[in-house]
Amino acid sequence: MNSRSQIALDCNIFYVDDDRDDLELFQEMAESLGENVCVFSSAELMMHTLNNPPPDPTVLFVDLNMPIRNGYEVLAELRASPIFKEIPIVVLSTASAPDIITRCLNLGASLYVVKPTAMKDLRNLIQYVAGIEWKTREVTTDNFLYKAK
């Protein structure tokens, strides 16, 4: 096992986004809250890490608008997998159109979040997601869209 795989096995949060600034801000904030996070600049890297050997993150954050393999494709692939179909997936995107949010719900996302622009909102989001009891949470149209507090 190489060191990258070992690091990934220790992460409880995975985040994939093609925007490096978003990745860095998210990682810094999550780590300041005591979370172990692995960030990936492409869906291919994240999927490869998930499958070789499968780590056990507690939640995945997925951006929608990525080149090559977008968030919709990642979501569909994960939900089709017997290994990953139950893992919580938080869509984190700049898109806020109702049809996009509904599509993510229908594809099996666990939570939809419009990317926060303020650091305190990002902090609150990560704390909120880390505090969810995913095994007992039932996704509904009322709790699917995260509302910043």
Side-chain angles (χ1 to χ4, degrees), residues 16-18 42-44 46-47 60-79 89-93 100 103-104 107-109 112:
V16 60
D17 195 321
D18 62 312
S42 73
E44 289 74 26
M46 184 186 76
M47 296 304 291
L60 305 177
F61 284 82
V62 177
D63 181 40
L64 283 182
N65 300 313
M66 296 181 290
I68 304 170
R69 191 184 305 178
N70 66 38
Y72 298 116
E73 294 165 320
V74 171
L75 187 54
E77 184 176 340
L78 290 167
R79 288 303 180 233
I89 301 171
V90 177
V91 175
L92 189 57
S93 179
I100 292 172
R103 182 176 177 192
C104 291
L107 283 170
Y112 191 96

